[in-house]
Amino acid sequence: MTRPLRSIALTTALVALLPAACTAQTPSTPIAPPPAATPSAPLVSGLPDFTALVQRVGPAVVNVRAEIAPRRASRGQGQMPNEEEIPEIFRRFFGPDMPGGPQGPRGPRGGGNSLGTGFLISQDGYVLTNHHVVDGADTVKVTLSDRREFTAKVVGSDEQSDVALLKIDAKSLPFLRLANASLTKPGQWVIAIGSPFGLDHSVTAGIVSAVGRMNPYADQQYVPFIQTDVAINQGNSGGPLLNTSGEVVGINSQIFSNSGGYMGVSFAIPIDVAMNSAEQLRATGKVQRGLLGVGVQAITSESAKGLGLSDSRGALVNSVQAGGAAEKAGIQLGDVILAVNDRPVNTSSDLPPLIGALAPGAKVKLEINRGGKVLTEQVVLGALGAEVAGAPGPAANDDSAVAPGRGGSNALGLVGQDLAANARQRLGLKVGEGVLVQTPGEAAGEAGLRPGDVVLSVGRTAVGSASALNRELAGVRPGDTVMLLVRRGAATQFIAVTAEAKAG
């Protein structure tokens, strides 16, 4: 399947640009008057001119070349390397079928280069670029605009934010100023400088299309991307996205493309997110992030109705990690998180960047809606990486997953069945927790419920048997919307189900 999201570092095995030269004999009599000694008055005014900006900031933009040495074969002739052995630059841009393609770059056994962009952030040689540009590299070379080349030290690299911090041994270097990230707004002009297809110091311009954009095709939930329409291509990875003051607002990271080339949608990592990672990488060599210990989901108009909310703002809590920060602070299933430290949470995707930007141990004020009442809770964050892995769920046709006892009728037509003790153990459920779905019924089936799902609660009320499920659904009337908390495999989510209205 084609992957629409593309990383934008360039592999040298892909591109060979061969500009053609031609000569012509100068005619003895010119066919047109010679060029004017001074430019004519412009016929179009009011358009932006980025010449002065590029001349000032261009020297601080660098080329980054990551060299991957050939690897000794560890398997039979002709066998392909495992995916985890393939450097991220190859995985992210070319996808899982890359090694066998006739025009794909050489894999890690054969070595190869990736070419990206970076920029200086200090006069003593600190360089920012993308993690995926240098991932798996044995040697990283940095070339300045004056053509001096240095072997760079990778101070640290963080996959989640896709940021790498490099250091070269040089002094008195030009460097870029950083923008106040909060001032970046949709509609503003922005400029990118980079090396698309190896064409170094290429300049493109456009506008900010959106900020705080969650990229559904990237596994980077802690990055609220800047989306632009600036022309970005392979080789622009790690280059600066600049405002009209020549300040860095972001690091160009990815493009949305079905072809591998520019299609009008590109994504940049906000500079405040990048510098948070860079400072931690310089200090400790790794990046730590706060952990709230909840699973959240988006609120639809249907679920807002079921929750009694006036709108769909916020992040709906559908799981709480046992022993985690949220549980210790009293956060409950069905709570809706509205704000973090007075910063609004409009959608569920807003929450991870706000929490991930904070350090473990940080005290956080959460504004939540619980059953229609707005509350404030104080939470001390845990550390990302301490999550408890979920257990796999029982198969729908696994006879050992059920125990005697079936549900009768209810307003949703949902037929439940008691879970056996061993099934609850596999799911990580407590004794008397959860009801297996045997038949979802028409309304719940249309809402997404499947046979084999496990209903954990109806609204905020936990259910542990088919009879308890029927009792909680007994009061549902035609046209009512009810929230079912459902476990499917290791995932837990609320599903809003509206009971069918009776024909009048």
Side-chain angles (χ1 to χ4, degrees), residues 390-394 426-428 452-454 486-492:
R426 289 200 303 274
L427 280 166
D453 288 344
V454 176
V486 177
R487 170 74 64 87
R488 179 177 297 159
T492 304

Side-chain angles (χ1 to χ4, degrees), residues 125-464:
Y126 279 102
V127 175
L128 279 186
T129 188
N130 283 144
H131 162 82
H132 73 259
V133 171
V134 300
D135 177 54
D138 297 283
T139 306
V140 178
K141 301 286 187 180
V142 169
T143 304
L144 307 185
S145 60
D146 60 11
R147 313 315 301 166
R148 285 185 292 165
E149 184 176 277
F150 298 85
T151 298
K153 174 186 176 183
V154 179
V155 178
S157 190
D158 177 53
E159 183 176 4
Q160 267 289 339
S161 62
D162 196 19
V163 170
L165 180 65
L166 313 180
K167 180 68 167 65
I168 60 174
D169 188 12
K171 303 293 183 183
S172 303
L173 296 171
F175 62 95
L176 298 182
R177 293 182 302 159
L178 309 180
N180 182 337
S182 65
L183 300 180
T184 303
K185 305 295 182 184
Q188 292 178 342
W189 280 100
V190 281
I191 303 95
I193 304 178
S195 304
F197 305 110
L199 302 170
D200 65 330
H201 284 79
S202 294
V203 182
T204 52
I207 63 169
V208 174
S209 304
V211 296
R213 181 74 80 196
M214 290 297 103
N215 191 328
Y217 300 96
D219 186 21
Q220 292 174 256
Q221 62 174 324
Y222 301 104
V223 180
F225 286 99
I226 302 170
Q227 180 189 331
T228 79
D229 67 353
V230 178
I232 298 295
N233 281 291
Q234 303 143 37
N236 276 109
S237 271
L241 185 70
L242 304 147
N243 61 21
T244 53
S245 299
E247 301 166 335
V248 183
V249 299
I251 303 177
N252 295 312
S253 174
Q254 296 167 335
I255 56 176
F256 185 94
S257 177
N258 289 319
S259 65
Y262 171 69
M263 293 183 66
V265 179
S266 57
F267 298 98
I269 304 157
I271 193 60
D272 58 337
V273 174
M275 287 306 300
N276 182 12
S277 295
E279 292 291 359
Q280 292 191 61
L281 290 171
R282 184 179 68 163
T284 66
K286 62 180 180 179
V287 177
Q288 289 188 308
R289 295 179 174 86
L291 179 68
L292 183 57
V294 295
V296 295
Q297 67 183 76
I299 300 174
T300 64
S301 57
E302 193 78 2
S303 56
K305 179 182 176 183
L307 292 165
L309 303 175
S310 60
D311 54 52
S312 59
R313 290 179 300 143
L316 174 60
V317 176
N318 58 30
S319 65
V320 179
Q321 179 184 327
E327 185 185 62
K328 292 176 182 177
I331 304 301
Q332 301 175 12
L333 293 170
D335 285 351
V336 176
I337 300 175
L338 301 173
V340 176
N341 289 339
D342 297 323
R343 297 184 65 178
V345 177
N346 292 315
T347 68
S348 59
S349 59
D350 291 340
L351 184 63
L354 292 174
I355 297 297
L358 302 171
K363 294 183 179 179
V364 176
K365 181 177 73 171
L366 297 183
E367 181 182 305
I368 63 173
N369 184 310
R370 178 177 297 161
K373 185 177 181 180
V374 177
L375 308 171
T376 299
E377 299 284 1
Q378 298 290 333
V379 182
V380 178
L381 297 182
L384 184 66
E387 300 95 335
V388 178
N397 59 355
D398 183 358
D399 292 337
S400 65
V402 300
R406 299 195 177 198
S409 60
N410 53 61
L412 299 183
L414 171 60
V415 178
Q417 187 153 6
D418 294 349
L419 277 166
N422 60 343
R424 286 198 172 97
Q425 187 175 12
R426 289 200 303 274
L427 280 166
L429 300 176
K430 300 174 183 177
V431 175
E433 186 178 10
V435 181
L436 184 71
V437 175
Q438 184 185 42
T439 305
E442 186 173 353
E446 289 180 354
L449 203 67
R450 304 175 188 170
D453 288 344
V454 176
V455 177
L456 301 177
S457 70
V458 177
R460 291 180 173 274
T461 304
V463 291

Side-chain angles (χ1 to χ4, degrees), residues 30-175:
I31 62 174
T38 58
S40 302
L43 299 178
V44 179
S45 61
L47 296 179
D49 184 344
F50 304 115
T51 306
L53 184 155
V54 174
Q55 289 177 345
R56 176 175 295 183
V57 305
V61 180
V62 302
N63 290 348
V64 178
R65 186 175 79 253
E67 301 176 351
I68 303 167
R71 302 288 193 253
R72 179 179 298 176
S74 59
R75 50 184 55 80
Q77 183 69 24
Q79 285 187 275
M80 304 316 302
N82 296 325
E83 182 173 352
E84 60 269 19
E85 296 175 321
I86 302 173
E88 189 175 347
I89 170 59
F90 298 127
R91 294 199 308 269
R92 292 180 58 166
F93 182 75
F94 295 100
D97 298 328
M98 172 275 302
Q103 296 183 0
R106 300 166 70 189
R109 285 196 300 160
N113 296 331
S114 71
L115 179 63
T117 307
F119 56 95
L120 290 153
I121 58 173
S122 70
Q123 63 178 357
D124 60 344
Y126 279 102
V127 175
L128 279 186
T129 188
N130 283 144
H131 162 82
H132 73 259
V133 171
V134 300
D135 177 54
D138 297 283
T139 306
V140 178
K141 301 286 187 180
V142 169
T143 304
L144 307 185
S145 60
D146 60 11
R147 313 315 301 166
R148 285 185 292 165
E149 184 176 277
F150 298 85
T151 298
K153 174 186 176 183
V154 179
V155 178
S157 190
D158 177 53
E159 183 176 4
Q160 267 289 339
S161 62
D162 196 19
V163 170
L165 180 65
L166 313 180
K167 180 68 167 65
I168 60 174
D169 188 12
K171 303 293 183 183
S172 303
L173 296 171
F175 62 95

